[in-house]
Amino acid sequence: SGTDHILASKFIKNIDILNSISSQAITVKSSNTGGDWNYGMMIYDAIQRSKSRVTFEIHGSACSMGIVIPQAANLRHISRSADIMIHLGSGSVDSTWKSSKSYINHYDKKNTIMLDILSVKCYDSPYNQKCKLSLPDIKQMIEEKLAKHDDWWMDAKEAVYYLSLIHI
């Protein structure tokens, strides 16, 4: 399922409840085909502010916002049959020229945030242990992958290699 206001509200409520009753580690199991940026970032922020350690397990797929959210976790695992897809945000505008330009500029900022989040996780990856790229160079590598293919698909093995995920 995708990330929407219902998922975000339930997730935040549940993680807050878990944090209020215990500081034991939390495991989140997910298959997420993407969804709304703002609701996804609500979940991302809730994971980051959790007083409990959070392990995120990807099963099935993690696409678009579904791969950004797990980056907030302390540990990120992926099942061997899962798929990952990264792309820049999508949307449509049916408005005045000025409003359209404002919308595009706003989402350029969101894309930059996403690339920054993914670049940091890629920095410690087996890929970068081999290539030894700087953080800006990693970001550029991801941008080049996305420029070549609007959707950058990876199987679990590639996700481990590029994003430092751990097989489960």
Side-chain angles (χ1 to χ4, degrees), residues 22-39:
S22 172
S23 60
Q24 287 186 342
I26 297 170
T27 299
V28 177
K29 297 181 181 197
S30 176
S31 179
N32 187 330
T33 57
D36 184 87
W37 170 265
N38 292 314
Y39 296 125

mmCIF file of all heavy atoms in Angstrom, residues 22-39:
data_model
loop_
_atom_site.group_PDB
_atom_site.id
_atom_site.type_symbol
_atom_site.label_atom_id
_atom_site.label_comp_id
_atom_site.label_asym_id
_atom_site.label_seq_id
_atom_site.Cartn_x
_atom_site.Cartn_y
_atom_site.Cartn_z
ATOM 1 N N SER A 22 7.458 1.837 26.530
ATOM 2 C CA SER A 22 8.710 1.090 26.607
ATOM 3 C C SER A 22 9.767 1.751 25.725
ATOM 4 O O SER A 22 9.446 2.485 24.797
ATOM 5 C CB SER A 22 8.470 -0.346 26.120
ATOM 6 O OG SER A 22 9.681 -1.046 26.007
ATOM 7 N N SER A 23 11.016 1.442 26.042
ATOM 8 C CA SER A 23 12.101 1.909 25.171
ATOM 9 C C SER A 23 12.709 0.730 24.406
ATOM 10 O O SER A 23 13.797 0.832 23.855
ATOM 11 C CB SER A 23 13.169 2.638 25.980
ATOM 12 O OG SER A 23 13.705 1.774 26.952
ATOM 13 N N GLN A 24 11.977 -0.403 24.409
ATOM 14 C CA GLN A 24 12.451 -1.570 23.655
ATOM 15 C C GLN A 24 12.470 -1.260 22.167
ATOM 16 O O GLN A 24 11.701 -0.429 21.667
ATOM 17 C CB GLN A 24 11.541 -2.770 23.901
ATOM 18 C CG GLN A 24 11.697 -3.369 25.274
ATOM 19 C CD GLN A 24 10.884 -4.645 25.415
ATOM 20 O OE1 GLN A 24 9.976 -4.914 24.657
ATOM 21 N NE2 GLN A 24 11.236 -5.442 26.412
ATOM 22 N N ALA A 25 13.334 -1.962 21.467
ATOM 23 C CA ALA A 25 13.474 -1.776 20.025
ATOM 24 C C ALA A 25 12.139 -2.040 19.321
ATOM 25 O O ALA A 25 11.350 -2.874 19.736
ATOM 26 C CB ALA A 25 14.545 -2.703 19.480
ATOM 27 N N ILE A 26 11.927 -1.294 18.239
ATOM 28 C CA ILE A 26 10.716 -1.415 17.423
ATOM 29 C C ILE A 26 11.130 -1.927 16.055
ATOM 30 O O ILE A 26 12.096 -1.431 15.474
ATOM 31 C CB ILE A 26 10.016 -0.047 17.270
ATOM 32 C CG1 ILE A 26 9.559 0.466 18.644
ATOM 33 C CG2 ILE A 26 8.853 -0.137 16.281
ATOM 34 C CD1 ILE A 26 9.085 1.913 18.623
ATOM 35 N N THR A 27 10.400 -2.906 15.549
ATOM 36 C CA THR A 27 10.624 -3.394 14.189
ATOM 37 C C THR A 27 9.421 -3.036 13.344
ATOM 38 O O THR A 27 8.282 -3.356 13.701
ATOM 39 C CB THR A 27 10.845 -4.921 14.170
ATOM 40 O OG1 THR A 27 12.004 -5.218 14.959
ATOM 41 C CG2 THR A 27 11.067 -5.418 12.751
ATOM 42 N N VAL A 28 9.675 -2.350 12.238
ATOM 43 C CA VAL A 28 8.635 -1.982 11.288
ATOM 44 C C VAL A 28 8.807 -2.873 10.069
ATOM 45 O O VAL A 28 9.888 -2.931 9.489
ATOM 46 C CB VAL A 28 8.761 -0.494 10.863
ATOM 47 C CG1 VAL A 28 7.712 -0.136 9.817
ATOM 48 C CG2 VAL A 28 8.692 0.418 12.069
ATOM 49 N N LYS A 29 7.732 -3.572 9.681
ATOM 50 C CA LYS A 29 7.754 -4.417 8.488
ATOM 51 C C LYS A 29 6.884 -3.751 7.442
ATOM 52 O O LYS A 29 5.741 -3.400 7.727
ATOM 53 C CB LYS A 29 7.256 -5.821 8.820
ATOM 54 C CG LYS A 29 8.153 -6.512 9.833
ATOM 55 C CD LYS A 29 7.694 -7.901 10.149
ATOM 56 C CE LYS A 29 8.647 -8.508 11.186
ATOM 57 N NZ LYS A 29 8.535 -9.936 11.267
ATOM 58 N N SER A 30 7.433 -3.582 6.230
ATOM 59 C CA SER A 30 6.720 -2.783 5.246
ATOM 60 C C SER A 30 6.908 -3.293 3.824
ATOM 61 O O SER A 30 7.958 -3.826 3.464
ATOM 62 C CB SER A 30 7.235 -1.336 5.320
ATOM 63 O OG SER A 30 6.647 -0.527 4.341
ATOM 64 N N SER A 31 5.876 -3.109 3.035
ATOM 65 C CA SER A 31 5.934 -3.149 1.583
ATOM 66 C C SER A 31 5.179 -1.910 1.152
ATOM 67 O O SER A 31 3.994 -1.769 1.448
ATOM 68 C CB SER A 31 5.267 -4.410 1.029
ATOM 69 O OG SER A 31 5.324 -4.401 -0.383
ATOM 70 N N ASN A 32 5.865 -0.974 0.520
ATOM 71 C CA ASN A 32 5.278 0.336 0.268
ATOM 72 C C ASN A 32 5.582 0.772 -1.157
ATOM 73 O O ASN A 32 6.747 0.925 -1.533
ATOM 74 C CB ASN A 32 5.840 1.339 1.283
ATOM 75 C CG ASN A 32 5.170 2.681 1.228
ATOM 76 O OD1 ASN A 32 4.694 3.121 0.186
ATOM 77 N ND2 ASN A 32 5.141 3.356 2.361
ATOM 78 N N THR A 33 4.548 0.996 -1.930
ATOM 79 C CA THR A 33 4.708 1.375 -3.337
ATOM 80 C C THR A 33 4.876 2.875 -3.541
ATOM 81 O O THR A 33 4.950 3.327 -4.674
ATOM 82 C CB THR A 33 3.499 0.892 -4.159
ATOM 83 O OG1 THR A 33 2.302 1.443 -3.590
ATOM 84 C CG2 THR A 33 3.421 -0.614 -4.169
ATOM 85 N N GLY A 34 4.962 3.634 -2.474
ATOM 86 C CA GLY A 34 5.203 5.066 -2.605
ATOM 87 C C GLY A 34 4.114 5.876 -1.956
ATOM 88 O O GLY A 34 3.508 5.465 -0.985
ATOM 89 N N GLY A 35 3.870 7.037 -2.503
ATOM 90 C CA GLY A 35 2.797 7.872 -1.968
ATOM 91 C C GLY A 35 3.228 9.303 -1.768
ATOM 92 O O GLY A 35 4.223 9.770 -2.316
ATOM 93 N N ASP A 36 2.480 9.981 -0.959
ATOM 94 C CA ASP A 36 2.607 11.417 -0.759
ATOM 95 C C ASP A 36 3.878 11.782 0.019
ATOM 96 O O ASP A 36 4.160 11.194 1.074
ATOM 97 C CB ASP A 36 1.373 11.917 -0.005
ATOM 98 C CG ASP A 36 1.370 13.415 0.166
ATOM 99 O OD1 ASP A 36 0.877 14.096 -0.754
ATOM 100 O OD2 ASP A 36 1.884 13.903 1.196
ATOM 101 N N TRP A 37 4.618 12.749 -0.486
ATOM 102 C CA TRP A 37 5.868 13.198 0.132
ATOM 103 C C TRP A 37 5.659 13.661 1.574
ATOM 104 O O TRP A 37 6.360 13.234 2.486
ATOM 105 C CB TRP A 37 6.500 14.322 -0.693
ATOM 106 C CG TRP A 37 7.652 14.974 0.004
ATOM 107 C CD1 TRP A 37 7.610 16.107 0.755
ATOM 108 C CD2 TRP A 37 9.004 14.505 0.066
ATOM 109 N NE1 TRP A 37 8.862 16.380 1.270
ATOM 110 C CE2 TRP A 37 9.728 15.414 0.853
ATOM 111 C CE3 TRP A 37 9.663 13.415 -0.473
ATOM 112 C CZ2 TRP A 37 11.083 15.265 1.123
ATOM 113 C CZ3 TRP A 37 11.016 13.268 -0.206
ATOM 114 C CH2 TRP A 37 11.712 14.190 0.577
ATOM 115 N N ASN A 38 4.721 14.555 1.795
ATOM 116 C CA ASN A 38 4.544 15.138 3.122
ATOM 117 C C ASN A 38 4.135 14.102 4.163
ATOM 118 O O ASN A 38 4.644 14.110 5.286
ATOM 119 C CB ASN A 38 3.534 16.286 3.078
ATOM 120 C CG ASN A 38 4.078 17.466 2.305
ATOM 121 O OD1 ASN A 38 5.218 17.868 2.497
ATOM 122 N ND2 ASN A 38 3.294 18.003 1.403
ATOM 123 N N TYR A 39 3.243 13.196 3.803
ATOM 124 C CA TYR A 39 2.848 12.151 4.749
ATOM 125 C C TYR A 39 4.012 11.186 4.987
ATOM 126 O O TYR A 39 4.218 10.712 6.100
ATOM 127 C CB TYR A 39 1.609 11.413 4.257
ATOM 128 C CG TYR A 39 0.395 12.311 4.176
ATOM 129 C CD1 TYR A 39 -0.324 12.440 3.006
ATOM 130 C CD2 TYR A 39 -0.014 13.051 5.285
ATOM 131 C CE1 TYR A 39 -1.433 13.272 2.931
ATOM 132 C CE2 TYR A 39 -1.118 13.895 5.220
ATOM 133 C CZ TYR A 39 -1.823 13.997 4.034
ATOM 134 O OH TYR A 39 -2.909 14.827 3.975
#
